[in-house]
Amino acid sequence: MPTPLPALAFGGDYNPEQWPAAVLREDRDLMREAGVDLVTLAVFSWAWLQPRPDAWEFGWLDEQMDDLHAAGIKVDLATATASPPPWLTHRHPDMLPVTQDGRTLWPGGRQSFCPSSPVYREHALELCTRMAERYHDHPALALWHVSNELGCHNARCYCDTSAAAFRTWLRRRYDDDVARLNDAWGTAFWSQRYDDIEQVLPPRVAPTHANPTQQLDFARFSSDQLLDNFVAERDVLHRISPGVPVTTNFMVMRQTPQMDYLRWGRELDVVSNDHYLIGAEDGGHRELAFSADLTRGTAGGRPWLLMEHSTSAVNWQPRNRAKRPGEMIRNSLSHVARGADAVLFFQWRASRAGAEKFHSGLLPHAGTDTRQWREVVELSRVLDAVEEAAGSTARNDTAILFDYQAWWGCELDSHPSIDVHYRDRAEDLHRALSAHGVGVDVVHPSTDLSSYRLVVVPTLYLVDDATVASVTAAAEAGATVVITYFSGIVDEHDHIRLGGYPGAFRELLGVRTTELLPLMAGESVQVEGLGTGAVTADTWAEDLELAGAEAVASYVDGPAAGLPAVTRRTVGEGAAWYVATRLAPAGTDRLVDRLVAETGIETLPGAGELVEVTRRVGDDASWLFVVNHGDDPAPVDVHGVELVTGRDVAGDLQVPAGGVAVVRES
Ligand code: GAL
């Protein structure tokens, strides 16, 4: 009988190989004090487990597994394949990754391997097999953790091995037909026509812009190769260790676009995610909220595990901001509110040596007599108090469509403006909807949209016909659809959809744009029609004609002065809105006012710019989560039992400044 995961797990990465025995003994006591019930073990232990090609040393790990079990702590056991040991890369330097401009990424850091390397694959699978054989029935084992953050540092490798693997992938994609590849890549341009797929290379640094479809296919290939490495290990684990769930930690964050996690999610038994705030950014909790909703999307709406975040500062940003009192608990609860059934950290004890020695941990360098440690203990108590919500999930009436492949396409070079960033509109609309108390699911465009009342389509530059049909059907059936600029521009091969922009969505929206009018850096325009007075917009305008839609708002000035900037068309039982410019947040807020009024969609009580309110729903109960990022208490009209304090509330909940609350609703 496999060991179940704790209901709402608490703990983090544990790296005992970095510490002497006396410290490890202390760890057990302190883990108990902090209420740790799950640790991730052996992530970077390859060189310790296999110090030489023919030597295996599992004794120390056996001891750790047994001790943790004796202490009542469950283990998320890594397959330890994340970072090959020096002896392996020394023997096989051809397994090292190579950058786009031909530089080898040498050992000495971590993840020094080409994802397509057969040498890496063979050695990794041998290690994975031995781990599975040795620990599959260990009572501490609750979860398998394949590798670690696949693609964190080596997502795209341009070496000769990768080139050969890319050609194999292309042969499959184009039925081994060079004519089909030429067609898809538009190689009639610039004399790029291939005579044989054998001549194709990865998009290495070229004298000028590389073929965009080649770049796009290479991005797809690279994501697929990493996923293949996961699947190969997962299959070994399923065979030798049936019944124990297998995960690998995603990096769903704004700074990590390379892996198509919305496709990867289907291959995992349980999705887990790592999330780190960018310290230089004010209001990073908004990006966190968006990423957490997107993580739930990668999990098909099911609960997921927060595998890593930080108690305070990280070490890898130019200036590493420490979290202020209460922030770590707020961050943790935001993830839980959006479906996380575990709150885990990198890492248990802050290291004393190595590149991450300034990275925070559950146990800081200064020890337990610290505010940080007291907050860790308090977080553990809060998680115990709200544990009953584990297993439930968030399910909303509003969807934001998100597609990693559209992200890759949107941010290719040689575009109208470098200022168009794929997640920008998605995050701003998510912010405005959240501030209105509208819960949001962030889902892949292929998701069944029939139950959504509001469907937001931000910057969906690249779109296939099936998505166009399903978005159109949603509007016809009564949903309100909102599409923002630089959507529907190309098909899956990155070929323009002709006849005027926004190509794929022209008919649904009832508009036709004859010319894109990107604005210059620092240039802004005024837009009027969204409530009283004009709002500011920047980055983008369009030469847009109405073709069935009505103008809701128009440009006051700029290159499109007098033309529609926001349009609406009644479609069947629903409506389709188009936003042809980049509204500043005040404009997005007004747009969302209109959408909320038009759809009559539920707004959760008490929500605001600094007050996150979300709901998880289970079979027999629902829980309202409130995370107050503001400096004032937040009143919330909700009835039930507030679990963090254990008090009954009857419409009079006051969430303290910087505090959190979780109410089982009655
Ligand atoms: C993650 C990684 C961890 C640790 C952490 C630091 O990328 O999985 O091992 O390096 O970042 O923030």
Side-chain angles (χ1 to χ4, degrees), residues 333-347:
L333 266 284
S334 295
H335 286 292
V336 175
R338 295 167 197 278
D341 270 1
V343 176
L344 308 172
F345 291 83
F346 180 84
Q347 62 176 328

Side-chain angles (χ1 to χ4, degrees), residues 13 15 43-44 110 145 148-149 152-153 249 251 253 274 276 308-310 313-316 346 356 359:
D13 277 35
N15 297 305
V43 172
F44 295 108
R110 65 177 177 186
H145 182 110
N148 191 63
E149 292 189 342
C152 181
H153 312 291
N249 41 348
M251 295 169 282
M253 300 177 253
D274 297 353
Y276 291 96
E308 286 181 25
H309 68 153
S310 65
V314 299
N315 62 289
W316 42 265
F346 180 84
E356 293 181 328
H359 196 291

Side-chain angles (χ1 to χ4, degrees), residues 447-653:
T447 304
D448 175 5
L449 302 177
S450 56
S451 65
Y452 289 107
R453 294 170 57 195
L454 178 59
V455 177
V456 181
V457 186
T459 324
L460 199 63
Y461 165 78
L462 174 153
V463 67
D464 61 15
D465 295 344
T467 300
V468 180
S470 108
V471 171
T472 305
E476 276 163 0
T480 291
V481 169
V482 186
I483 299 177
T484 71
Y485 66 90
F486 216 42
S487 289
I489 301 290
V490 299
D491 65 12
E492 54 271 46
H493 299 307
D494 198 41
H495 292 200
I496 296 283
R497 291 177 174 274
L498 300 174
Y501 315 111
F505 293 118
R506 217 170 44 229
E507 213 172 301
L508 168 65
L509 294 168
V511 302
R512 177 168 171 269
T513 289
T514 53
E515 184 141 47
L516 305 173
L517 306 172
L519 304 181
M520 297 298 105
E523 184 179 3
S524 64
V525 293
Q526 297 294 302
V527 170
E528 66 182 8
L530 287 170
T532 318
V535 292
T536 304
D538 59 26
T539 305
W540 198 263
E542 296 185 5
D543 226 329
L544 181 148
E545 296 165 2
L546 297 174
E550 55 182 302
V552 174
S554 306
Y555 301 96
V556 176
D557 52 8
L563 296 179
V566 180
T567 65
R568 181 185 181 283
R569 175 174 169 244
T570 300
V571 182
E573 302 293 305
W577 290 65
Y578 185 52
V579 187
T581 188
R582 181 174 184 274
L583 295 170
T588 307
D589 288 337
R590 289 196 193 172
L591 173 70
V592 169
D593 286 341
R594 297 278 301 259
L595 298 172
V596 168
E598 170 168 316
T599 54
I601 215 156
E602 183 187 14
T603 55
L604 296 172
E609 270 297 326
L610 294 173
V611 185
E612 273 181 64
V613 184
T614 48
R615 179 180 280 140
R616 282 180 74 149
V617 181
D619 291 338
D620 312 308
S622 65
W623 295 266
L624 199 75
F625 283 72
V626 186
V627 180
N628 182 3
H629 299 279
D631 294 330
D632 300 308
V636 185
D637 181 4
V638 55
H639 291 68
V641 185
E642 199 288 303
L643 301 172
V644 177
T645 56
R647 292 205 195 107
D648 288 341
V649 288
D652 55 352
L653 175 66

Side-chain angles (χ1 to χ4, degrees), residues 18-42:
Q18 295 177 15
W19 298 96
V23 172
L24 303 185
R25 277 193 296 278
E26 189 193 39
D27 282 344
R28 297 296 170 268
D29 294 340
L30 293 178
M31 284 183 184
R32 209 172 287 124
E33 182 181 326
V36 165
D37 54 21
L38 183 70
V39 296
T40 303
L41 202 56

